Structure formats: C-alpha cells, structure tokens
Amino acid sequence: MFENIEWWVLVTLCVAAFGAGLIDAMVGGGGLIQIPALFGLLPSHGHATLLGTNKISSVVGTSFAAYRYAKAIQVPWNAVLPATLMALLGAYLGAYIVTQVSTEVLRLLLPVLLLGVAIYTFVRKDLGSVHAPKLGRSRERVFGGLVGLAIGLYDGFFGPGTGSFLMVAFVVLFGFDFLAATAGAKVVNIACNLASLAWFAPAGHVIVALGLLMAAFNLAGAKVGSGLAIRKGAGFVRKVLLAVVGLLILRTGYDSYGPYLGAWFG
C-alpha cells in the first residue's frame, strides 16, 4: 500500500506534514518542511513523483485553511477570484515550461528576492497591520489577475516561497492586512496546487496512499495554524512571516550557492 516504505519513515513524514500544514496555514512556506522530508527520506523515488505526492498533501491542508479563514474574516474576493483563475492557467503553464528549460537562473535569484521581501517587511513596521485597500474595484480585478498569473507561473515552474510571495503582494500592492492577505493567498494556492496535480497525476507521478496519509496530518496542522493566526492577529502573522522567510533564505541560499562555494573552496 505504501510501496514498501518503512514505518519510521511514514511517522517522520507525517510529523513533517503536520509541521508543514501548521506553518503554511499562517504564512505559507510549508514546502520548506515537507519537500525536503520527502526527498531526504525517499531518495529512490523520482523527483516528479515526490513533488506530485507533496501536492496531494498540500492541497488538502490549504483547502481547510482557506475554509477556516473564509468563516472567520472577510476574504477580499474582488481581487482573489481573478488571481485564482489566472493562477490555474499560470501554474499549469509553469509546470509545462519547467520540463523545457533550466531553472538554474531562477534558483540563483530566489534567495536575493526573498532577502528583499524580508528587509522590506522588517523595515515597514506597520506593514499589513491595517486593512486599507488602495485600488478601485476594477483595478483590483486587473491587478489580481496579473498577480495570479505571475505567481502561478512561478509556482508551477519552481515553487519555494509561493505563499509568502502571494501574501506580500496582497499587502504591498493592494493594501490588505496580513490576515486578509493570508486568506487570499490560501485560495490562490489551492488553484496552484490543483493545476500542478492536473499535470502530475495523469502521468502517474503520485504515491496516492502516502499523499492521503500525509494530507490528514497536514490538515491537522492547518487547523492549528489557521486558528493561531486568526486568534493572535496580523502582528503575530508578520513575525511568523519574517521567521519563515529567513529560513527560506538560508535553505534556498544553501541549495543555490552551496555547490559553487564548495567548488571554489574545494
């Protein structure tokens, strides 16, 4: 059923899925935990299969988090719906493009982009503390579609930090507070995950039983994480965002520049 996966590996993957759901429900970045766990513990499986299995788990937790936010706060649907629709297209195209070209340039740029996000969020102490939309309804829809297309392409093509980029885009470009931005990011993330699954699943790049088992734990983590974010407010979410982006910088920086530094000093 689990393709001869040892029990301790299953337990570790379930713990990782819970942690991923917890973090992802608050600020995104759950892939920082779940994807390295899958790749590290199941090295004999293909990359596409592990990414597809990750998407099964992620889409369940993200869907629950989106539902929880929608019940508790007002989701800015005028911007979020166009972003969601265009993210479906963008993520599917991105998943196709990644099979055609190298991701090396984007891999090297990613830590720099994340560092910019961290510095901007840290310097702007009031960022996302007040919900003050600054675009008219028509411009919100247009900008929402553009943001969804761009970040959907990125998610399908590469992926790390998608939820964090979405949150910051909704806060900076649209004037949403962190809670509204998180709620919107969850909805758009669902579209990205579904579009990626539409590419991976028909090709058989999923371990269904493992994905569903991890999904149960990811959902449990999402329940705890969304509850914490809603209860503690935008200031708490900002602090968690800074912590997660910092970890993403370290992780992606090591992955991107580690081999070059090793070759240089070796």
Side-chain angles (χ1 to χ4, degrees), residues 78-137:
N78 190 58
V80 169
L81 281 179
T84 302
L85 292 174
M86 294 304 291
L88 280 168
L89 174 62
Y92 190 84
L93 287 175
Y96 167 74
I97 292 170
V98 76
T99 65
Q100 308 298 314
V101 299
S102 172
T103 62
E104 185 62 22
V105 172
L106 188 55
R107 186 183 300 278
L108 293 172
L109 282 176
L110 182 59
V112 180
L113 295 174
L114 287 166
L115 182 61
V117 168
I119 292 172
Y120 186 81
T121 305
F122 181 77
V123 171
R124 290 286 305 275
K125 304 293 184 183
D126 60 339
L127 187 70
S129 59
V130 177
H131 189 66
K134 55 188 180 183
L135 300 177
R137 292 184 63 81

Side-chain angles (χ1 to χ4, degrees), residues 8 10 15 33 44 92 99 106 114 142 165 184 197 200 250 261:
W8 67 269
L10 289 175
V15 172
I33 301 171
S44 63
Y92 190 84
T99 65
L106 188 55
L114 287 166
V142 172
F165 283 133
L197 271 176
F200 289 123
L250 293 174
L261 292 174

Side-chain angles (χ1 to χ4, degrees), residues 188-244:
V188 179
N189 254 334
I190 294 170
C192 292
N193 287 334
L194 288 175
S196 297
L197 271 176
W199 179 266
F200 289 123
H205 291 308
V206 290
I207 305 172
V208 177
L210 177 60
L212 292 176
L213 176 64
M214 292 178 68
F217 285 85
N218 194 286
L219 187 151
K223 182 176 181 180
V224 176
S226 56
L228 278 172
I230 292 166
R231 199 161 58 246
K232 292 184 175 291
F236 172 75
V237 173
R238 176 181 177 273
K239 292 175 184 176
V240 177
L241 174 65
L242 282 169
V244 170

Side-chain angles (χ1 to χ4, degrees), residues 145-163:
L146 292 174
V147 166
L149 179 63
I151 295 186
L153 271 168
Y154 168 77
D155 185 71
F157 182 70
F158 198 56
T162 295

Side-chain angles (χ1 to χ4, degrees), residues 18-46:
F18 178 87
L22 177 75
I23 295 299
D24 205 61
M26 289 189 281
V27 295
L32 178 69
I33 301 171
Q34 193 162 271
I35 293 176
L38 282 163
F39 276 68
L41 293 170
L42 299 175
S44 63
H45 290 74

